[in-house]
């Protein structure tokens, strides 16, 4: 990634500290990803993106900015990309998934804050992530308490818009979310200088629906008895979907899905027969958080589905297309986004229904419900998740972890014992 030094300098990044990150990532990626056998050829695209992770997409974004486009950084799957795209803006996901950034976050946040938040704040304040430097505006949301307070700190350093997300799903909450989306659209229009028209929003809705369909096709292939792709590879595709160009993302995912469908027809699998099928549910896994998937898939299991925001919550449900007015479009967006089932909501029985449904659809042997340390909403909801799964006769293992490797061996022991018990 050395060709990008000039760009990083112009972004006022801390080059020395950033170098340290650039040095560890290739080894980590090699150990976790390149050690896998018989990977789909289509994964070459995502391998390439990772090899240039702080170079290729950031340089595209800077080029776009030179042509007058604005970049919006987001942290949550409730924020509607469609609105930004309709104003010729660009969305990039900003959630931090590396322990590398956590100490930077801990300089201003209590240690007892979830690692995703600490890493996101650290990546910005330590100036070690180009995406955090490039974004013209950050878009926060009122989901968990940690995020809400983190926006106040980030907002001192960068322009920030916060969307007030209701935490119940009554009709009046959906109306409120539609109104909030409308307000967000006005902010986006102001920042970009472009009016959002019905036509442009319809086109953006179509673009993001196409991306959802492409991601769903890859997930569909993971329902096959002979798994054509590892969970680690599917996770990588999903993580990069958050900051890639949506049309290219759809095209690459569709190419991969073509290959996977052929593999299924040819009976090609990346796991040996009898490998236990695991659904992972819980808190999101932002790039480069591959820890749990790696442990599961080197302990005799295969991850067949992720019930999380870096998983099914990102692509399930489409937005109604070709509506005639902005009001109707904002409402359609609100209806779709409020179908996401985050533990920040109460009640959140829809998530339990999702997990039970996904267990059937993906023919799951067991569930690992993972919680990022200090995420109290998912932690508390773990009780209900585990109870429902036990009642349905589906084995479940609840775990809590962070971004460090300190607990890796202990986790491996627990995961191995769980998988053995499934057999
Ligand atoms: S819709 S899961 S992306 S809020 S893990 S920061 S909840 S303390 S990331 Fe999330 Fe939106 Fe919900 Fe999804 Fe807080 Fe929990 Fe940390 Fe979290």
């Amino acid at each position: 990634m050395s060709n990008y030094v000039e760009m990083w300098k112009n972004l006022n990044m801390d080059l020395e500290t950033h170098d340290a990150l650039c040095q560890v990532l290739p080894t980590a990626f090699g150990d976790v990803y390149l050690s896998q056998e018989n990977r789909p050829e289509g994964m070459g695209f995502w391998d390439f993106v990772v090899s240039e992770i702080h170079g290729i997409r950031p340089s595209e974004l800077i080029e776009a900015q030179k042509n007058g486009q604005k970049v919006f950084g987001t942290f949550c799957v409730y924020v509607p990309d469609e609105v930004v795209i309709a104003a010729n803006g660009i969305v990039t996901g900003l959630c931090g998934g590396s322990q590398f950034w956590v100490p930077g976050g801990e300089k201003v946040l209590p240690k007892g804050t979830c690692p995703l938040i600490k890493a996101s704040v650290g990546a910005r304040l330590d100036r070690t992530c180009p995406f955090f430097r490039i974004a013209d505006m950050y878009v926060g949301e009122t989901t968990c308490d940690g995020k809400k307070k983190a926006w106040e700190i980030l907002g001192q350093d960068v322009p920030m818009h916060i969307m007030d997300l209701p935490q119940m799903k009554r009709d009046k909450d959906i109306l409120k979310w539609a109104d909030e989306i409308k307000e967000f659209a006005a902010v986006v229009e102001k920042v970009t200088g472009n009016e959002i028209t019905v036509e442009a929003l319809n086109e953006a809705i179509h673009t993001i629906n196409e991306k959802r369909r492409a991601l769903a096709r890859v997930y569909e292939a993971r329902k096959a008895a002979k798994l054509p792709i590892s969970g680690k590879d599917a996770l990588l595709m999903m993580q990069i979907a958050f900051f890639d160009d949506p049309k290219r993302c759809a095209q690459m995912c569709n190419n991969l899905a073509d290959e996977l469908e052929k593999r299924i027809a040819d009976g090609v699998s990346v796991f040996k027969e009898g490998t236990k099928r695991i659904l992972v549910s819980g808190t999101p896994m932002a790039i480069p958080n591959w820890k749990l998937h790696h442990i599961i898939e080197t302990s005799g299991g295969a991850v067949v589905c992720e019930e999380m925001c870096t998983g099914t919550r990102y692509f399930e449900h489409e937005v109604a297309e070709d509506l005639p007015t902005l009001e109707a479009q904002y409402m359609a967006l609100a209806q779709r986004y409020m179908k996401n089932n985050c533990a920040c909501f109460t009640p959140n029985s829809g998530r339990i229904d999702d997990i039970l449904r996904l267990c059937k659809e993906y023919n799951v042997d067991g569930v690992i419900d993972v919680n990022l340390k200090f995420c109290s909403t998912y932690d508390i909801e773990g009780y209900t998740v585990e109870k429902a799964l036990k009642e349905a006769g589906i084995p479940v293992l609840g775990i809590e972890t962070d971004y460090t490797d300190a607990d890796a061996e202990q986790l491996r022991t627990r995961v191995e014992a769980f998988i053995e018990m499934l057999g």
Side-chain angles (χ1 to χ4, degrees):
M1 284 199 283
S2 51
N3 298 343
Y4 301 105
V5 172
E6 215 37 51
M7 174 181 83
W8 296 330
K9 262 191 208 158
N10 293 337
L11 289 170
N12 191 22
M13 287 174 60
D14 175 346
L15 293 186
E16 210 176 303
T17 315
H18 183 246
D19 263 4
L21 177 60
C22 291
Q23 274 161 21
V24 292
L25 196 64
T27 319
F29 187 72
D31 290 349
V32 174
Y33 276 91
L34 306 180
S35 57
Q36 297 179 102
E37 280 172 24
N38 197 18
R39 297 174 73 209
E41 275 179 29
M43 287 309 298
F45 167 71
W46 286 277
D47 291 351
F48 171 68
V49 174
V50 173
S51 72
E52 302 269 312
I53 194 121
H54 279 182
I56 193 151
R57 184 65 179 150
S59 56
E60 280 182 2
L61 295 177
I62 291 168
E63 250 343 274
Q65 284 174 320
K66 283 183 191 152
N67 294 326
Q69 285 185 277
K70 297 290 179 195
V71 178
F72 293 76
T74 61
F75 300 85
C76 181
V77 298
Y78 280 95
V79 174
D81 292 0
E82 291 89 339
V83 171
V84 174
I85 292 167
N88 198 29
I90 301 175
V91 182
T92 187
L94 286 182
C95 289
S98 169
Q99 176 62 23
F100 184 83
W101 292 309
V102 167
E106 286 177 345
K107 286 181 203 159
V108 293
L109 294 164
K111 282 205 163 51
T113 308
C114 110
L116 189 148
I117 299 173
K118 288 190 288 196
S120 302
V121 171
R124 170 70 199 186
L125 300 187
D126 277 355
R127 298 181 289 115
T128 46
C129 175
F131 293 96
F132 278 82
R133 307 296 310 161
I134 290 169
D136 296 287
M137 171 173 261
Y138 290 7
V139 187
E141 58 339 288
T142 55
T143 43
C144 65
D145 288 351
K147 275 178 155 186
K148 278 187 280 203
K149 301 320 280 180
W151 308 147
E152 293 170 14
I153 295 173
L154 285 175
Q156 293 168 21
D157 199 43
V158 66
M160 179 110 212
H161 174 73
I162 299 170
M163 298 184 76
D164 184 9
L165 182 72
Q167 311 217 321
M168 293 179 80
K169 292 184 179 176
R170 302 157 300 183
D171 288 349
K172 64 177 178 181
D173 299 312
I174 294 170
L175 276 173
K176 181 183 168 354
W177 191 233
D179 202 45
E180 199 63 25
I181 292 174
K182 187 177 171 183
E183 256 183 62
F184 176 49
V187 172
V188 169
E189 285 183 324
K190 201 165 162 209
V191 173
T192 59
N194 298 323
E195 189 194 343
I196 295 176
T197 62
V198 173
E199 294 70 33
L201 190 49
N202 267 330
E203 207 181 309
I205 288 171
H206 180 70
T207 298
I208 299 300
N209 276 344
E210 287 281 297
K211 171 172 154 176
R212 291 190 181 107
R213 285 176 204 130
L215 290 165
R217 270 187 74 199
V218 173
Y219 266 61
E220 195 60 33
R222 301 172 74 193
K223 294 178 182 170
K226 289 195 171 184
L227 283 166
I229 184 170
S230 68
K232 282 194 284 194
D233 278 335
L235 175 65
L236 182 65
M237 169 202 75
M238 185 59 71
Q239 291 171 329
I240 290 174
F242 280 78
F243 55 88
D244 197 6
D245 170 75
K247 286 190 179 160
R248 178 173 51 212
C249 173
Q251 191 196 335
M252 291 301 162
C253 294
N254 276 324
N255 291 348
L256 178 64
D258 289 343
E259 186 184 350
L260 300 184
E261 285 160 15
K262 177 149 191 329
R263 280 184 158 211
I264 293 168
D266 295 344
V268 177
S269 177
V270 289
F271 293 103
K272 59 177 195 286
E273 225 171 307
T275 302
K276 293 298 162 195
R277 301 171 67 92
I278 306 294
L279 178 137
V280 179
S281 66
T283 45
M285 295 176 174
I287 197 164
N289 179 8
W290 307 307
K291 178 173 155 181
L292 184 62
H293 276 51
H294 184 56
I295 290 174
I296 295 170
E297 296 197 331
T298 48
S299 300
V303 180
V304 294
C305 181
E306 295 81 17
E307 183 282 319
M308 47 182 54
C309 293
T310 43
T312 51
R313 278 182 235 142
Y314 191 50
F315 65 80
E316 285 197 327
H317 312 293
E318 294 180 10
V319 180
E321 293 190 25
D322 297 326
L323 294 171
T325 63
L326 286 170
E327 292 298 321
Q329 290 170 316
Y330 295 143
M331 190 60 194
L333 286 166
Q335 284 165 336
R336 186 274 162 202
Y337 280 90
M338 289 290 267
K339 285 183 188 149
N340 282 337
N341 293 314
C342 174
C344 297
F345 278 78
T346 187
N348 196 31
S349 53
R351 179 161 169 244
I352 309 299
D353 298 341
D354 284 345
I355 294 172
L356 295 174
R357 169 179 57 83
L358 293 169
C359 284
K360 278 202 192 119
E361 287 180 5
Y362 289 80
N363 196 18
V364 158
D365 294 304
V367 172
I368 297 185
D369 186 41
V370 60
N371 188 55
L372 274 176
K373 241 178 216 165
F374 307 117
C375 175
S376 54
T377 52
Y378 279 87
D379 196 8
I380 295 168
E381 198 161 278
Y383 167 79
T384 316
V385 169
E386 289 182 31
K387 186 166 169 278
L389 284 165
K390 279 179 190 151
E391 279 168 13
I394 301 165
V396 53
L397 172 71
I399 62 170
E400 185 172 72
T401 187
D402 57 17
Y403 291 168
T404 69
D405 277 330
D407 61 351
E409 280 319 302
Q410 190 201 358
L411 278 183
R412 181 175 294 282
T413 309
R414 292 186 64 205
V415 168
E416 277 174 357
F418 179 65
I419 291 171
E420 220 176 286
M421 183 272 287
L422 298 176

